[in-house]
Amino acid sequence: MMVLEGKSVFGGIAIGKLSVYGKKDHAVKRSRVADTEAENKRFLEAKEEAKRQLAGFYEKAVKEVGEVNAAIFEIHQMMLDDQDYVESVTNMIKTQEVNAEFAVASTGDNFSAMFAAMEDDYMRERAADVKDISNRVISILQGSTAGAITGEEPVILLADDLAPSETVQLDKSKVLSFVTRHGSTNSHTAILARTMNIPALIGVDFPEKLDEAPSGESCLSGNVAAGTDNGASIDGMLGIVDGYQGKFYLNPDEETLAKYRKLKEEDEQKKRLLQELKGKENVTLDGKKINLYANIGGVADVANVLANDAGGIGLFRSEFLYLESEDYPTEEAQFTAYKTVAENMAGKKVIIRTLDIGADKQVGYFNLEKEENPAMGYRAIRICLDRKEIFKTQLRAIYRASYYGTISIMFPMIISVAEVRAIKEIIEEVKAELDRDGLPYKEVEIGIMIETPAAVMISDLLAKEVDFFSIGTNDLTQYTLAIDRQNPKLDNIYDAHHEAVLRMLKMVVDNGHKEGCWVGICGELGADTELTETFLRMGFDELSVSPSMVLRVRDKIRNTDLSKNE
Ligand code: PEP
Ligand code: MG
């Protein structure tokens, strides 16, 4: 058994088989093979497996994002059968007596360079595709899973880190827990774990094989790799994640396993007790009420929102629709997604946050330039106001969907009144177009996210322009404290309760209320039950938290008495 330490980003206990997430770019070594026939067979089998995986993705994508957006997975299957590609790999294995991984990697690089040099835009775009299919075949040859969880059984997923573009491809129903080497408390993997209500650890220096001792303070105990060969891959081995203590057990012994099975049962019992709070009001002992909504990343999360009895959706991170697509999602695809969410919420409020990409959320087809300081760079509303057609497509889709429920819109990363006015002008253009096209819509509430210190300081002016404020404490804290939310080295000084941030929250509530705006929090801090009483005293009207936190926050609110002295 091996016990490793990590930082917990969401509590809970998971017991299950481990699956090591295959990274997209693979380090491939060249080696000489004696039996080239057998090596070629290995390549052809891996290619067939890759096609099977892609066929599975296609089926899944058709259901989630429609046929047009799913088509890329069909193209990838065809590319894998391209005669020139297959011949190139086969010839290399035979004539140069090299391993299949190396032949696939070299062919992938050559073809990709060839496509990249072509005049035609469509062909140039295929450069990334050929790399992608090659990486998939390589990971199958290497025995890792290239992002796909192949078995039927849910697993504990181990990775260096997961980019939002990678997490969207995962079959979430098969993930029991995330364990990553990197990532920070506020990274999107952490947010995803909270949304999914599963334990997650970051900063765990897990080995690839069980005889590779990890560096750092993690400890080895007892018989290393009992029952397995030294050097056995940890992929498929049993593991335990203790999201309360920040511990990760590899190949646990019987005693540890029994202890954790019991703890897991007790944990589930507590969760069942929270279920009794469903249908109850979010009201303090002395009668103060607050709205409690949930944050989502896509249509699939709505079930979780309803299961946890949230009063609405306080943040729909719409950029996940873009991250899930291989190309700009069409107005129709977006309209379907927003309408589905609005209809499923059956008249409850759904606040859609417009596209917030850039920084840690990179979308390939936007072709954003590499920047020195992406968190302070070309992102979110800055891109939307610059690339107006993309923005208008999204706004048209949202307005059309508004007809089917109660939708509000909010805009990320605002720093000035001028931006809000520019947005409002574009909204007027969109509404005029919809009128002209005879497409129905409702009037929607317009709000902004307060996530820059600038927006806080001019919140008195901004409040005159909009209906509500929703404070994005994740970004607001990073910009106020000048601490990159993605940098795990700074997690120890990232003080979410910093007085500077708390004063800002109070200032925003007061400025908002003076102009009749309602004010909420949709950043992770909103779910921090140590601050629930503080937020209630400050006068917040709404908290929007991960679906899994709704009942815990409700429990806290219902046990708070504001009539008592602070
Ligand atoms: C925030 O910044 O607090 C927020 C809610 O937005 P995101 O985490 O998506 O940047
Ligand atoms: Mg933000």
Side-chain angles (χ1 to χ4, degrees):
M1 175 170 84
M2 183 183 279
V3 192
L4 302 168
E5 306 269 339
K7 182 164 180 172
S8 173
V9 291
F10 196 67
I13 288 162
I15 304 173
K17 285 215 175 122
L18 309 178
S19 174
V20 181
Y21 183 86
K23 268 287 161 193
K24 297 245 160 107
D25 266 328
H26 299 262
V28 169
K29 287 197 193 109
R30 178 186 182 127
S31 59
R32 209 180 151 79
V33 292
D35 188 349
T36 54
E37 279 301 319
E39 197 60 9
N40 194 40
K41 187 160 168 273
R42 212 163 71 80
F43 158 62
L44 293 174
E45 281 169 4
K47 178 173 83 73
E48 288 312 306
E49 172 56 24
K51 278 167 55 192
R52 271 194 293 279
Q53 287 182 4
L54 289 162
F57 291 161
Y58 176 75
E59 295 298 323
K60 181 169 177 264
V62 167
K63 284 192 209 109
E64 289 178 2
V65 291
E67 261 175 50
V68 176
N69 291 318
I72 188 69
F73 295 117
E74 276 196 325
I75 297 175
H76 279 195
Q77 289 177 68
M78 284 191 276
M79 288 175 86
L80 273 170
D81 276 335
D82 177 80
Q83 207 181 344
D84 292 340
Y85 180 83
V86 175
E87 269 177 21
S88 165
V89 177
T90 301
N91 284 343
M92 227 169 149
I93 294 174
K94 283 191 185 145
T95 57
Q96 299 183 28
E97 298 178 349
V98 289
N99 52 325
E101 288 87 338
F102 184 79
V104 174
S106 303
T107 301
D109 285 348
N110 293 343
F111 275 60
S112 166
M114 194 172 76
F115 281 128
M118 288 184 177
E119 291 274 304
D120 183 280
D121 278 354
Y122 178 83
M123 295 311 276
R124 262 207 316 277
E125 279 166 22
R126 302 284 74 81
D129 294 321
V130 80
K131 270 222 138 116
D132 209 4
I133 57 163
S134 303
N135 280 335
R136 182 167 300 284
V137 176
I138 294 167
S139 38
I140 293 166
L141 287 164
Q142 290 177 332
S144 63
T145 48
I149 300 167
T150 39
E152 283 306 307
E153 210 181 318
V155 293
I156 294 171
L157 199 70
L158 308 185
D160 274 349
D161 194 11
L162 291 165
S165 58
E166 292 169 320
T167 56
V168 295
Q169 288 189 33
L170 291 173
D171 179 349
K172 317 267 186 324
S173 66
K174 288 196 192 151
V175 184
L176 297 171
S177 171
F178 292 111
V179 176
T180 62
R181 290 198 175 104
H182 311 295
S184 67
T185 322
N186 290 293
S187 62
H188 281 271
T189 310
I191 293 173
L192 180 67
R194 286 179 210 126
T195 304
M196 290 169 64
N197 198 7
I198 57 173
L201 304 178
I202 56 171
V204 180
D205 194 8
F206 61 84
E208 295 289 331
K209 299 212 167 119
L210 253 197
D211 64 342
E212 286 173 18
S215 58
E217 66 279 12
S218 34
C219 66
L220 284 170
S221 79
N223 49 333
V224 175
T228 62
D229 295 337
N230 265 3
S233 160
I234 61 167
D235 203 273
M237 228 171 238
L238 194 66
I240 299 175
V241 176
D242 179 344
Y244 297 113
Q245 308 284 331
K247 287 208 160 72
F248 174 50
Y249 296 81
L250 253 163
N251 199 25
D253 57 32
E254 275 309 318
E255 197 186 326
T256 311
L257 203 54
K259 176 181 133 190
Y260 273 101
R261 284 200 175 119
K262 190 156 173 280
L263 284 174
K264 189 167 179 324
E265 179 49 41
E266 285 167 9
D267 199 43
E268 275 160 12
Q269 173 69 12
K270 272 190 214 139
K271 282 187 191 154
R272 281 195 286 274
L273 279 177
L274 278 179
Q275 297 298 311
E276 289 173 12
L277 291 175
K278 281 193 190 169
K280 303 239 164 92
E281 278 190 312
N282 309 305
V283 59
T284 61
L285 291 167
D286 55 314
K288 181 163 173 60
K289 288 185 192 165
I290 187 165
N291 287 323
L292 196 48
Y293 296 165
N295 298 344
I296 64 165
V299 181
D301 296 333
V302 177
N304 222 351
V305 172
L306 296 171
N308 286 287
D309 193 32
I313 289 171
L315 166 64
F316 179 170
R317 289 184 163 95
S318 69
E319 57 275 9
F320 280 88
L321 291 176
Y322 294 73
L323 283 158
E324 278 165 2
S325 298
E326 294 284 335
D327 205 343
Y328 296 99
T330 58
E331 179 182 320
E332 226 36 51
Q334 292 192 61
F335 165 65
T336 308
Y338 304 143
K339 174 173 174 268
T340 308
V341 173
E343 284 178 339
N344 287 342
M345 289 302 290
K348 288 183 178 161
K349 191 176 286 200
V350 176
I351 304 176
I352 300 175
R353 192 252 310 266
T354 57
L355 180 64
D356 183 17
I357 57 155
D360 60 321
K361 285 174 270 187
Q362 288 296 329
V363 183
Y365 54 85
F366 270 78
N367 291 320
L368 301 179
E369 278 170 27
K370 256 202 151 13
E371 293 175 295
E372 281 285 314
N373 271 314
M376 294 200 262
Y378 187 64
R379 57 174 295 197
I381 199 67
R382 299 168 186 182
I383 297 178
C384 289
L385 288 174
D386 189 39
R387 296 169 75 174
K388 215 170 127 186
E389 282 316 307
I390 297 173
F391 193 34
K392 279 179 85 172
T393 303
Q394 178 170 38
L395 289 173
R396 273 179 68 99
I398 298 176
Y399 265 92
R400 283 176 55 198
S402 70
Y403 188 70
Y404 300 88
T406 309
I407 285 182
S408 306
I409 314 184
M410 69 179 173
F411 302 93
M413 290 293 296
I414 295 295
I415 57 165
S416 71
V417 170
E419 282 170 338
V420 181
R421 294 203 176 137
I423 291 166
K424 290 202 291 193
E425 268 177 36
I426 297 173
I427 288 178
E428 288 314 310
E429 282 175 33
V430 165
K431 289 199 306 197
E433 282 173 22
L434 293 177
D435 288 336
R436 194 193 55 211
D437 298 345
L439 291 165
Y441 60 88
K442 287 189 197 159
E443 284 306 329
V444 305
E445 262 189 332
I446 306 281
I448 54 171
M449 292 191 67
I450 303 285
E451 46 186 353
T452 62
V456 173
M457 298 312 291
I458 58 164
S459 49
D460 54 335
L461 305 176
L462 291 167
K464 296 185 203 300
E465 304 287 330
V466 294
D467 302 311
F468 68 95
F469 287 155
S470 185
I471 307 184
T473 48
N474 308 337
D475 277 316
L476 182 59
T477 309
Q478 100 162 326
Y479 296 127
T480 304
L481 304 185
I483 293 177
D484 177 358
R485 64 192 262 197
Q486 292 291 114
N487 188 338
K489 276 213 187 80
L490 304 175
D491 261 358
N492 57 340
I493 57 163
Y494 184 101
D495 177 7
H497 295 198
H498 197 292
E499 185 60 22
V501 177
L502 296 180
R503 285 189 198 181
M504 286 187 165
L505 300 188
K506 179 69 179 138
M507 185 173 176
V508 175
V509 179
D510 291 345
N511 282 337
H513 284 174
K514 268 184 217 147
E515 296 294 336
C517 284
W518 65 260
V519 186
I521 299 179
C522 64
E524 295 297 295
L525 198 65
D528 186 335
T529 48
E530 279 177 36
L531 289 174
T532 308
E533 179 167 343
T534 308
F535 297 150
L536 286 159
R537 287 189 189 281
M538 283 181 178
F540 275 99
D541 306 285
E542 177 242 25
L543 298 174
S544 189
V545 301
S546 299
S548 60
M549 289 303 293
V550 170
L551 295 174
R552 291 182 220 205
V553 178
R554 177 172 299 164
D555 190 33
K556 183 71 193 179
I557 295 167
R558 294 176 64 84
N559 284 300
T560 300
D561 187 352
L562 300 175
S563 67
K564 288 194 181 147
N565 287 340
E566 282 176 61

